[in-house]
Amino acid sequence: MRHNSFNSGRVNWTVVGVVALLCAVSLTLFFVLHSRSDAARQEAQLRQQLEADAAEDRAAATAAEILYYEQEADEYIASLPADKQLLARVVDSANHYIVYFERSEHPSCYLLDLESHTTSVLFGGENGFYCDTKLLIVGTIHDWMQVGDIVYFVADNRAPEASEHNAVVVFSLNLSSHALRYVDTGFEATFIQPDQLRIGHATLLYYSLFTGENVYGETTVTRRLPDE
């Protein structure tokens, strides 16, 4: 009995060694994983900071570019002759140009690219221009109105078939796509709201045997002008 009691009190160094080894391995793995986690976190923070710095640099470069072209636009606008009317200046991160037209009997409208310093004709000329599939020949531009990216013009109708009943023509220019659209013709047209046009139409009623002339009735229509 004493022998058994003595044996039960002995330390099993093999077991202790295994447990100690396992503990050491666990601690080593813990520190290794913790170090890797810290490294990954630091790497992610560094990447985020680099991305933020790059975005800030791009924003600063864009702002500087816009300021440069704004100054270019100011210089060109100041140099426009008296018979040229500024229509729009479009300066942002993607576009750098001004649009202007002539105050004349045969007006043309131009786009001046501030980056390439080149000028292109958007519409005009004595021979006319196409709006979609309709040929327009316009005279003096009397009025215009910008609605969103669209500019609407009221001009004298110089088409061969023009008469007092369709003396004016209304058309539009998209400042972004530079597309032209025919809107309407009438004996008069007036902008009455920032996005509304009042246009007078003449309708043939009958032919007068007494005067030998057509008799027309007049109606006034108000149209809302879309901004795209």
Side-chain angles (χ1 to χ4, degrees):
M1 293 296 292
R2 293 180 181 175
H3 179 73
N4 291 338
S5 177
F6 176 78
N7 288 338
S8 62
R10 294 177 59 186
V11 176
N12 191 330
W13 292 107
T14 302
V15 174
V16 171
V18 171
V19 172
L21 179 61
L22 291 175
C23 291
V25 171
S26 298
L27 288 173
T28 301
L29 289 174
F30 172 79
F31 286 116
V32 169
L33 294 176
H34 185 70
S35 298
R36 289 182 178 177
S37 177
D38 285 345
R41 183 165 55 252
Q42 291 174 359
E43 182 181 355
Q45 291 175 346
L46 178 59
R47 183 168 56 251
Q48 291 174 355
Q49 184 61 48
L50 291 174
E51 291 174 352
D53 291 344
E56 185 176 348
D57 290 342
R58 288 194 299 270
T62 299
E65 180 183 42
I66 291 175
L67 178 60
Y68 170 80
Y69 286 114
E70 287 282 8
Q71 294 171 344
E72 287 275 295
D74 289 339
E75 293 179 6
Y76 274 102
I77 291 169
S79 67
L80 287 176
D83 64 335
K84 303 295 190 296
Q85 173 65 51
L86 177 68
L87 186 62
R89 59 189 293 164
V90 182
V91 178
D92 53 35
S93 60
N95 303 284
H96 323 103
Y97 59 85
I98 62 173
V99 180
Y100 61 93
F101 66 89
E102 297 169 326
R103 289 183 171 275
S104 67
E105 294 184 358
H106 300 286
S108 292
C109 182
Y110 303 92
L111 182 149
L112 172 62
D113 190 312
L114 299 170
E115 185 173 354
S116 63
H117 295 179
T118 57
T119 302
S120 56
V121 179
L122 297 180
F123 68 78
E126 296 184 14
N127 296 324
F129 54 93
Y130 280 93
C131 286
D132 298 322
T133 58
K134 187 176 182 64
L135 177 64
L136 298 186
I137 303 176
V138 303
T140 302
I141 296 174
H142 295 290
D143 203 359
W144 63 94
M145 177 71 70
Q146 183 173 346
V147 183
D149 283 342
I150 311 297
V151 179
Y152 294 86
F153 300 91
V154 175
D156 288 336
N157 188 2
R158 292 285 185 260
E161 71 277 9
S163 67
E164 61 179 326
H165 303 296
N166 59 354
V168 298
V169 60
V170 183
F171 63 98
S172 68
L173 167 68
N174 187 309
L175 292 175
S176 297
S177 66
H178 309 146
L180 295 165
R181 294 291 176 87
Y182 165 77
V183 178
D184 209 344
T185 56
F187 61 84
E188 65 177 5
T190 306
F191 296 108
I192 57 174
Q193 295 290 338
D195 63 346
Q196 291 184 5
L197 173 74
R198 183 172 61 204
I199 187 162
H201 290 151
T203 305
L204 177 63
L205 298 179
Y206 59 89
Y207 175 77
S208 174
L209 296 175
F210 296 100
T211 63
E213 297 178 350
N214 293 326
V215 177
Y216 292 85
E218 296 180 352
T219 59
T220 300
V221 177
T222 299
R223 298 185 54 165
R224 180 183 175 278
L225 302 174
D227 58 1
E228 60 181 6

